[in-house]
């Protein structure tokens, strides 16, 4: 598998902080697609999917140091894991790239494709295009999601992310951000 972390230094206005996990998800999906020619989807807020099964995830921690924003990006991707090695409680919901394409994948090459795509998106970011592509790839648009509201677990319908990286959820008779 690929389990790694790396640092990104904020280049956009801090009001776009919420966009970075979506940028990383797009970079991962584009990198996998370029190398393996398979269609990768995304699931809000930070999962990587292939045909309704999770193949990876993203975690980002941020820190402000001397007015600079530093993002510690962690990614995990099931690359060469044998499908039988997943525990029974998750085996119906996960997959690995090896299982999808039928042969082992060189992890270093895959990681280079992914990092190149993330770098390209990071350095040539167009927020409107990024948000549109992410929403187009999202598997849980118009699906029920759980979220916290006033310290209570609620359910609503996930509609999309906006240009600030905020989720738009239909809850009762209104959309909440």
């Amino acid at each position: 598998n690929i389990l790694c972390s790396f640092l990104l230094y904020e280049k956009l206005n801090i009001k776009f902080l919420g966009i970075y996990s979506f940028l990383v998800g797009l970079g991962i999906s584009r990198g996998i697609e370029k190398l393996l020619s398979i269609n990768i989807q995304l699931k809000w807020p930070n999962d990587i999917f292939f045909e309704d099964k999770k193949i990876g995830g993203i975690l980002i921690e941020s820190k402000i140091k001397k007015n600079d924003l530093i993002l510690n990006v962690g990614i995990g991707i099931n690359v060469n894991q044998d499908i039988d090695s997943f525990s029974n409680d998750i085996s119906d919901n996960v997959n690995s790239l090896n299982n999808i394409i039928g042969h082992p994948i060189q992890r270093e090459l895959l990681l280079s494709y992914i990092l190149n795509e993330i770098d390209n998106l990071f350095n040539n970011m167009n927020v409107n295009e990024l948000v549109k592509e992410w929403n187009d790839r999202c598997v849980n648009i118009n699906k029920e999601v759980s979220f916290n509201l006033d310290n209570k677990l609620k359910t609503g319908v996930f509609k999309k992310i906006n240009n600030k990286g905020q989720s738009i959820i239909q809850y009762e008779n209104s959309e909440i951000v």
Side-chain angles (χ1 to χ4, degrees):
N1 294 332
I2 293 175
L3 305 168
C4 70
S5 63
F6 54 90
L7 298 178
L8 289 175
Y9 292 88
E10 205 280 334
K11 286 186 148 192
L12 289 178
N13 187 311
I14 198 160
K15 71 180 181 179
F16 294 114
L17 177 61
I19 292 292
Y20 287 105
S21 66
F22 304 111
L23 178 149
V24 172
L26 282 178
I28 292 169
S29 61
R30 285 180 176 187
I32 292 170
E33 288 175 354
K34 279 192 175 179
L35 181 63
L36 303 178
S37 299
I38 59 175
N39 293 321
I40 300 299
Q41 297 121 350
L42 302 164
K43 182 178 178 188
W44 177 79
N46 57 3
D47 292 333
I48 312 300
F49 267 66
F50 177 81
E51 294 183 351
D52 296 325
K53 292 191 177 188
K54 184 175 178 175
I55 59 168
I58 304 158
L59 177 65
I60 299 180
E61 296 178 345
S62 60
K63 180 175 184 158
I64 295 175
K65 185 176 182 180
K66 295 183 181 178
N67 297 324
D68 291 327
L69 179 64
I70 302 168
L71 303 166
N72 183 4
V73 179
I75 63 174
I77 303 168
N78 301 332
V79 180
N80 290 321
Q81 188 164 355
D82 184 355
I83 197 75
D84 295 329
S85 69
F86 291 110
S87 65
N88 289 339
D89 58 329
I90 65 167
S91 62
D92 290 340
N93 301 315
V94 297
N95 209 343
S96 72
L97 296 173
N98 176 3
N99 187 60
I100 293 164
I101 64 168
H103 61 78
I105 296 144
Q106 184 183 2
R107 291 173 298 154
E108 298 83 0
L109 182 61
L110 176 59
L111 184 58
S112 71
Y113 272 74
I114 289 168
L115 292 176
N116 283 333
E117 288 300 317
I118 292 170
D119 185 59
N120 183 46
L121 285 167
F122 187 73
N123 288 308
N124 302 297
M125 184 179 303
N126 177 312
V127 173
N128 292 331
E129 289 176 14
L130 187 147
V131 167
K132 181 185 179 326
E133 183 178 347
W134 192 93
N135 282 321
D136 288 346
R137 289 177 180 266
C138 184
V139 297
N140 58 339
I141 298 261
N142 294 319
K143 302 238 172 102
E144 191 173 277
V145 294
S146 298
F147 61 98
N148 283 310
L149 180 65
D150 299 325
N151 294 319
K152 294 180 184 172
L153 189 61
K154 304 287 184 179
T155 58
V157 176
F158 179 77
K159 301 309 277 183
K160 64 181 179 178
I161 61 166
N162 66 19
N163 285 7
K164 293 182 182 176
Q166 299 165 313
S167 61
I168 307 297
I169 298 174
Q170 181 76 38
Y171 176 67
E172 295 179 343
N173 292 322
S174 62
E175 289 187 344
I176 59 174
V177 178

